[in-house]
């Protein structure tokens, strides 16, 4: 293997090999990174399908997400596969797991000492339409669900329709949105419900120039607070958004 193939890896501390087990073929790679960590990849072909798995460990032996530059370097060494499974993390300090790359379908499993998270989604698209959906479920190690999120969105030409449902403990949230946008004119409606609170929002807009947009909105469910809000503070380091409690308004947006 050449230095150009290894890229950001330490080419003096890398190895690869091939082996056959029964009717399956495998090719593996492992190498040390310049910061003392280790990355690895295994390409397997069985039953007419190929799968590529990637992972990494830091210098202390803790599993981590392989950086994009290392994934690209390993992809040049091992063959391409129909499915790619990569070690992943929900956040910097969140549960660690694996996920499949690609859009249809996609899946991931993550775990920590307190919870397990399952992700699933798929995308189907054509020239003038698309459907995208995903779901996520969090549960404790006893199998009790703690949070569930379901999303779906469809598009046909300039029309779109989407919804989201979320449940965390006993709290529930549902949102449904519909919109039409042809580049110059747009009309949309959004209906949301969180617990006992409901909110409806209808808006429409029109481009009146290359960088200017004029719009109107109607929010019949907006209610001002029963108590006077706290005095606003102004700071050059922090921009505090203005709280709008109006039911109807006109907006003008200029992009410069």
């Amino acid at each position: 293997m050449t230095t150009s193939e290894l890229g950001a890896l330490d080419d003096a501390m890398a190895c690869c090999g091939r082996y056959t087990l029964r009717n399956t073929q495998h090719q593996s790679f492992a190498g040390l990174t310049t910061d003392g960590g280790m990355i690895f990849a295994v390409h397997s072909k069985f039953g007419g399908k190929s799968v590529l798995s990637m992972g990494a460990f830091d210098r202390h032996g803790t599993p981590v997400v392989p950086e994009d530059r290392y994934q690209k370097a390993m992809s040049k060494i091992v063959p391409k596969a129909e499915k790619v499974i990569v070690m992943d993390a929900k956040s910097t300090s969140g549960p660690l797991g694996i996920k499949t790359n690609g859009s249809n379908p996609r899946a991931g499993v993550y775990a920590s000492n307190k919870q397990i998270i399952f992700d699933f989604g798929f995308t189907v698209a054509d020239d003038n339409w698309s459907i995208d959906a995903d779901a996520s479920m969090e549960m404790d190690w006893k199998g009790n669900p703690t949070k569930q999120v379901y999303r779906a969105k469809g598009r046909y030409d300039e029309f779109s329709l989407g919804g989201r449902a979320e449940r965390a403990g006993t709290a529930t949230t549902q949102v449904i949105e519909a919109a039409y946008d042809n580049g110059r004119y747009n009309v949309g409606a959004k209906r949301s419900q969180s617990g006992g609170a409901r909110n409806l929002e209808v808006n429409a807009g029109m481009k009146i120039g290359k960088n200017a947009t004029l719009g109107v909105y109607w929010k019949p469910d907006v209610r001002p607070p029963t108590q006077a809000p706290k005095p606003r503070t102004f700071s050059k380091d922090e921009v505090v958004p203005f709280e709008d409690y109006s039911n109807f308004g006109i907006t003008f947006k200029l992009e410069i």
Side-chain angles (χ1 to χ4, degrees), residues 20 45 63 72 83 90 98 103 105 118 128 131 156 167 171 195 212 235:
T20 301
K45 183 178 292 186
K72 293 178 181 179
K83 281 292 180 183
K90 298 296 287 186
I98 58 174
S103 59
F118 297 94
N128 60 341
I131 298 175
Y156 182 78
R167 182 181 181 89
S235 171

Side-chain angles (χ1 to χ4, degrees), residues 131-142:
I131 298 175
D132 186 87
D134 61 82
S136 177
M137 177 180 290
E138 301 179 12
M139 62 178 60
D140 58 26
W141 282 96
K142 294 182 180 180

Side-chain angles (χ1 to χ4, degrees), residues 33-96:
T33 60
T34 54
D35 56 2
M38 188 192 81
I39 60 173
F40 63 90
V42 179
H43 178 274
S44 301
K45 183 178 292 186
F46 52 92
K49 298 182 178 180
S50 57
V51 177
L52 175 60
S53 304
M54 295 184 183
F57 295 90
D58 63 16
R59 59 185 304 173
H60 304 291
T62 303
V64 294
V65 180
E67 297 180 19
D68 290 340
R69 55 174 178 165
Y70 295 147
Q71 294 186 36
K72 293 178 181 179
M74 290 188 291
S75 298
K76 295 179 181 179
I77 300 172
V78 294
K80 293 183 179 181
E82 301 173 15
K83 281 292 180 183
V84 180
I85 302 174
V86 183
M87 194 177 290
D88 189 36
K90 298 296 287 186
S91 63
T92 304
S93 59
L96 193 70

Side-chain angles (χ1 to χ4, degrees), residues 133-188:
D134 61 82
S136 177
M137 177 180 290
E138 301 179 12
M139 62 178 60
D140 58 26
W141 282 96
K142 294 182 180 180
N144 302 316
T146 57
K147 185 177 181 180
Q148 304 172 57
V149 181
Y150 304 92
R151 302 185 186 90
K153 185 176 182 179
R155 177 191 61 84
Y156 182 78
D157 288 336
E158 292 90 2
F159 296 91
S160 63
L161 178 65
R164 175 174 65 89
E166 180 176 333
R167 182 181 181 89
T170 58
T172 59
T173 302
Q174 297 91 31
V175 179
I176 184 169
E177 296 181 78
Y180 169 80
D181 188 348
N182 66 358
R184 183 177 183 185
Y185 301 98
N186 65 83
V187 180

